[in-house]
């Protein structure tokens, strides 16, 4: 019977001798998730991982560049459209290797992938004889004492050429850059904003490919428990060789695994349903399209189809993405080239765009039903 002394001492005097028993239970250790691996930033890395390897990025860039290139750029002087003018010929055939459409398509594509687009003027005897589109990754801004660019260094083939901005009759280089809140000179591309979704989309594709290549090799562990011993070196090598030769690869998909006595298979991998990688891939694709301003419906991406039909989605693409892009490029070209061509300006002509036909018809109807406007004012309002 315990007394007050034993209670004070915790009852240790009458406690039985402590023994430990091990029944051969297995301890499983679950490791936490490690840090995510993201692709490197920079034009070369994003183009290789995105435009060259990702179909969503490739289609977004091609769709924007090709559609924007359908808008013709016209030359106007004193409010009149000109069919014959040196600037018209220059825009139609800017250099000996490219047409005007090819050059503008490259400009639109570089803006989407690099956030920057550069055009060099070929000046001969004080006159602009050609325009050349330069690769953004080869260009470097040379800032002056006031922080503004005074020249651009173009590096190719191990040689660097300096293109100064104090040339006449216009600066050597036109630099078009999308807005970047943290950079004074270089722009930020939609592809850079979509980097996280791009990596998720690529990783889902790589995981799916690895699953197809190793369809008969489920992730897990072979547990040997016969007699409480271990496999010999010869048994271990034979088992490893049989697994690699008989159950690995897509050719052995679905082949049943026959285990000898004492071997048990423990699956430790998540199934595709658990990972739900298909929905994650679609969500990443929608985010990529969002960064580029392309409605997912136009890319064939399921889900989030908020537009009634393809025609409405196409109008949204033109109104929200293509029209602002084309207007900006036309204004940049006009401000750059106008001093060298007697004040002639470059304007986009949206009248031939089918997706904007309803908007143009509504404008014509509103202008035509305004009796207080003169014919000249009405023509000016509709761009004639």
């Amino acid at each position: 019977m315990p007394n007050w002394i034993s209670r004070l001492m915790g009852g240790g005097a009458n406690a039985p001798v402590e023994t430990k028993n091990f029944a051969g239970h297995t301890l499983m250790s679950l490791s936490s998730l490690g840090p995510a691996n993201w692709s490197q930033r920079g034009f070369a890395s994003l183009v290789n991982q995105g435009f060259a390897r990702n179909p969503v990025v490739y289609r977004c860039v091609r769709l924007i560049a090709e559609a924007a290139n359908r808008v013709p750029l016209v030359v106007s002087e004193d409010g009149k459209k000109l069919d014959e003018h040196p600037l018209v010929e220059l825009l139609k055939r800017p250099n000996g290797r490219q047409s005007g459409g090819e050059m503008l398509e490259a400009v639109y594509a570089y803006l989407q992938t690099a956030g920057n687009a550069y055009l060099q003027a070929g000046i001969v005897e004080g006159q602009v004889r050609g325009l050349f589109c330069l690769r953004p990754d080869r260009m470097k801004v040379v800032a002056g004492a006031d922080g503004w660019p005074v020249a651009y260094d173009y590096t190719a083939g191990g040689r660097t050429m300096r293109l100064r901005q104090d040339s006449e009759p216009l600066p050597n280089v036109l630099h078009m850059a999308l807005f970047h809140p943290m950079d004074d000179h270089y722009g930020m591309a939609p592809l850079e904003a979509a980097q996280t979704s791009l990596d998720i989309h690529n990783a889902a594709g790589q995981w799916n490919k690895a699953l197809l290549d190793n369809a008969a090799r489920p992730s897990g562990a072979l547990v040997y428990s016969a007699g409480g011993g271990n496999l010999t070196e010869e048994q271990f090598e034979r088992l490893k060789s049989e697994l690699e030769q008989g159950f690995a690869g897509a050719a052995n998909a679905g082949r049943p695994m026959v285990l000898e006595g004492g071997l048990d298979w423990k699956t430790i991998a998540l199934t595709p349903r658990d990972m739900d990688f298909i929905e994650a891939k679609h969500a990443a694709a929608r985010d990529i399209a969002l960064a580029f301003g392309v409605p997912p419906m136009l890319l064939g991406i399921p889900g989030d189809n908020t537009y009634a039909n393809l025609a409405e989605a196409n109008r949204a693409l033109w109104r929200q993405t293509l029209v602002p892009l084309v207007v900006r490029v036309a204004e940049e070209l006009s401000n750059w080239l106008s001093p060298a061509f007697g004040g002639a300006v470059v304007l986009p002509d949206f009248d031939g765009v089918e997706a904007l036909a309803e908007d143009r018809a509504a404008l014509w109807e509103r202008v035509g039903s305004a009796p207080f406007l003169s014919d000249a004012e009405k023509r000016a309002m509709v761009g004639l």
Side-chain angles (χ1 to χ4, degrees):
M1 179 177 180
N3 53 25
W4 66 274
I5 298 178
S6 63
R7 294 192 183 97
L8 183 62
M9 300 298 293
N14 298 321
V17 179
E18 182 180 358
T19 60
K20 297 183 181 293
N21 185 24
F22 176 67
H25 300 292
T26 302
L27 177 64
M28 179 179 292
S29 175
L30 298 179
S31 60
S32 60
L33 293 176
N37 296 320
W38 305 108
S39 60
Q40 297 180 357
R41 287 186 176 268
F43 177 73
S45 176
L46 290 176
V47 167
N48 289 331
Q49 296 296 324
F51 187 80
R53 296 182 59 187
N54 190 278
V56 178
V57 173
Y58 177 85
R59 186 56 192 146
C60 285
V61 174
R62 296 294 301 169
L63 179 63
I64 293 175
E66 292 175 353
N69 197 30
R70 290 174 52 195
V71 180
L73 299 182
V74 299
V75 177
S76 175
E77 191 173 24
D78 297 330
K80 297 181 180 180
K81 179 182 175 180
L82 303 177
D83 294 329
E84 295 183 1
H85 192 274
L87 184 53
V88 175
E89 299 301 324
L90 180 65
L91 294 177
K92 186 180 300 183
R93 188 68 174 179
N95 57 70
R97 299 185 59 185
Q98 289 181 312
S99 65
E102 288 181 275
M103 185 190 71
L104 288 176
E105 184 177 334
V107 168
Y108 296 132
Y110 279 138
L111 286 175
Q112 302 305 309
T113 54
N116 303 275
Y118 300 88
L119 289 178
Q120 179 193 3
I123 303 175
V124 179
E125 297 180 355
Q127 294 185 351
V128 180
R129 300 296 187 181
L131 300 176
F132 304 89
C133 188
L134 306 178
R135 274 178 46 176
D137 58 320
R138 294 177 175 175
M139 298 292 290
K140 181 180 179 181
V141 174
V142 180
D146 56 358
W148 293 99
V150 296
Y152 291 86
D153 284 344
Y154 181 74
T155 303
R159 299 176 57 187
T160 300
M161 178 174 59
R162 176 153 297 187
L163 307 173
R164 300 193 58 84
Q165 293 296 84
D166 55 359
S167 57
E168 294 293 340
L170 48 75
N172 258 316
V173 176
L174 170 62
H175 179 192
M176 291 172 278
L178 300 182
F179 174 71
H180 195 315
M182 298 294 292
D183 201 300
D184 295 331
H185 303 297
Y186 302 102
M188 180 176 177
L191 182 56
E192 187 174 357
Q195 180 189 12
T196 300
S197 300
L198 169 65
D199 286 344
I200 293 175
H201 195 273
N202 286 345
Q206 293 171 3
W207 186 86
N208 192 21
K209 179 63 166 58
L211 181 66
L212 294 175
D213 289 343
N214 301 276
R217 184 197 290 176
S219 299
L222 276 175
V223 179
Y224 178 72
S225 58
N230 297 323
L231 292 173
T232 64
E233 184 69 21
E234 182 180 356
Q235 291 174 326
F236 177 80
E237 293 297 332
R238 182 176 65 88
L239 181 60
K240 180 180 177 181
S241 176
E242 289 181 357
L243 284 175
E244 292 179 350
Q245 297 177 7
F247 300 96
N252 297 317
R255 184 177 180 182
M257 180 182 295
V258 180
L259 301 179
E260 299 179 2
L263 289 176
D264 187 21
W265 178 261
K266 300 294 184 181
T267 301
I268 60 177
L270 298 177
T271 65
R273 181 179 297 275
D274 294 330
M275 292 194 66
D276 203 8
F277 75 98
I278 296 179
E279 180 56 33
K281 191 174 183 179
H282 289 162
R286 288 192 290 270
D287 289 342
I288 294 173
L290 175 65
F292 282 95
V294 176
M297 178 183 289
L298 298 180
L299 302 175
I301 302 173
D304 293 346
N305 292 334
T306 58
Y307 301 99
N309 48 46
L310 286 174
E312 183 62 30
N314 195 33
R315 280 194 293 270
L317 171 66
W318 277 95
R319 293 169 181 168
Q320 301 174 12
T321 303
L322 297 176
V323 171
L325 177 63
V326 174
V327 169
R328 174 171 182 169
V329 170
E331 290 180 348
E332 295 273 7
L333 285 172
S334 182
N335 294 334
W336 183 46
L337 297 173
S338 180
F341 291 91
V345 296
V346 179
L347 299 174
D349 184 9
F350 295 104
D351 289 339
V353 179
E354 297 178 1
L356 301 176
E358 291 187 8
D359 296 343
R360 299 294 297 176
L363 174 62
W364 280 65
E365 183 178 357
R366 289 197 304 269
V367 173
S369 61
F372 55 87
L373 294 175
S374 64
D375 290 343
E377 291 173 332
K378 292 179 180 179
R379 291 175 61 86
M381 292 185 65
V382 298
L384 298 177

